Amino acid sequence: MQLHFLELVWFSTYAELRAERARSYLGFVWWLVEPALMMAAFWLVFDRILGTGGPDYLPFLLIGLVLWQWFKSSVVHAGQAIWLNLALIHQVRVPVLVFPFVHLLADAIKFAAVFGLLLVVLWGAGYPPNAAYLSLPPLLLCVALCAIGGGLLLAALMPLLPDLRFVVEQLLSVLMFLSGVVFALERVPAPYADWLAWNPVLVLLDALRGVLLHGRWPDWIALARVAVAAVALAVLGIATVQRLAPRYPKLAA
């Protein structure tokens, strides 16, 4: 059963990526264009106009925006997956977890391609590979687990509360500015930094920038705390979807 599920997710993801490519190349290109446009806007505002950037602000921004795009896209796409496929759920008996996991895997594959380009850009800009790159797999795995947990919780609830998608869009916009995408944690005053440090996305993004820009190993204790929370969130998301799965075929498509 588990092997069948994994095969179904993999082949459905392959079909989804091929269909997206057949419809338009913009789906992949947008993963490159959107971070570049946002980077230009934030660089203009925070570095040129406000003067709060710094010598490394462009690569700093690029890393933050690429990672945030992966997290945001994964949560949004996975969160809408079951709701958008209610008509298919009415007709075909299929594990509902397949739908969000297809989008999670598709977004992870696109992120892997964009992340590879990001590394090449950083190397060309004078930030070569270093020994701390060995910490990239656990760092990126923690980000993936956070996205899985958030996406699955949203996927479980959205068929029951479709208007939740509008709330999530606003919450993600706020979360982006609370996740250190445009600022460094060390520049935040102490009382606020202590609160922001509870944001796992900020902790992971700060650690990733330390690895890529400064060759600095992450704080393994902080990373372990985030990993435990991310695993718990992912398990909760899977359990919530499975618990509510019998209700989805009864909902109007």
Side-chain angles (χ1 to χ4, degrees):
M1 182 65 179
Q2 184 178 10
L3 182 59
H4 174 70
F5 175 81
L6 295 176
E7 290 177 345
L8 187 56
V9 168
W10 175 254
F11 286 114
S12 298
T13 302
Y14 176 73
E16 174 69 20
L17 291 173
R18 286 200 61 178
E20 183 176 325
R21 187 183 65 179
R23 291 192 301 266
S24 171
Y25 285 96
L26 188 60
F28 176 76
V29 172
W30 188 245
W31 274 74
L32 303 175
V33 174
E34 184 176 5
L37 292 175
M38 294 182 69
M39 179 186 68
F42 285 130
W43 172 78
L44 178 64
V45 172
F46 289 96
D47 192 64
R48 298 290 91 183
I49 297 177
L50 298 179
T52 58
D56 297 326
Y57 197 57
L58 275 177
F60 175 93
L61 265 180
L62 188 57
I63 293 169
L65 291 169
V66 166
L67 190 73
W68 175 256
Q69 167 124 353
W70 176 32
F71 176 79
K72 180 199 72 173
S73 298
S74 297
V75 171
V76 171
H77 293 157
Q80 296 180 355
I82 296 175
W83 172 63
L84 292 175
N85 285 281
L86 282 177
L88 183 59
I89 292 173
H90 292 165
Q91 301 172 16
V92 181
R93 187 179 180 87
V94 60
V96 292
L97 277 172
V98 166
F99 300 110
F101 270 106
V102 164
H103 288 282
L104 288 166
L105 182 56
D107 282 337
I109 292 172
K110 287 186 281 189
F111 167 76
V114 174
F115 189 71
L117 292 175
L118 170 65
L119 294 180
V120 172
V121 170
L122 291 177
W123 299 341
Y127 302 94
N130 56 77
Y133 269 41
L134 294 174
S135 65
L136 287 178
L139 274 174
L140 297 179
L141 178 59
C142 284
V143 178
L145 288 171
C146 288
I148 289 171
L152 290 181
L153 282 174
L154 185 57
L157 298 176
M158 191 171 291
L160 307 176
L161 301 167
D163 288 345
L164 192 60
R165 65 190 187 277
F166 303 117
V167 178
V168 170
E169 289 177 5
Q170 299 303 316
L171 289 178
L172 284 173
S173 297
V174 174
L175 183 61
M176 185 190 75
F177 287 100
L178 296 177
S179 297
V181 174
V182 297
F183 63 85
L185 182 60
E186 59 266 19
R187 303 188 68 173
V188 179
Y192 303 105
D194 293 339
W195 284 103
L196 289 176
W198 287 95
N199 181 349
V201 179
L202 187 149
V203 173
L204 294 170
L205 182 51
D206 186 64
L208 181 64
R209 283 171 171 152
V211 170
L212 297 180
L213 297 180
H214 309 295
R216 185 176 67 232
W217 291 88
D219 181 341
W220 293 110
I221 296 177
L223 186 61
R225 287 198 298 264
V226 172
V228 170
V231 169
L233 186 64
V235 170
L236 177 62
I238 292 173
T240 305
V241 171
Q242 291 179 328
R243 181 176 181 82
L244 295 176
R247 299 183 60 178
Y248 300 141
K250 303 174 186 177
L251 300 175

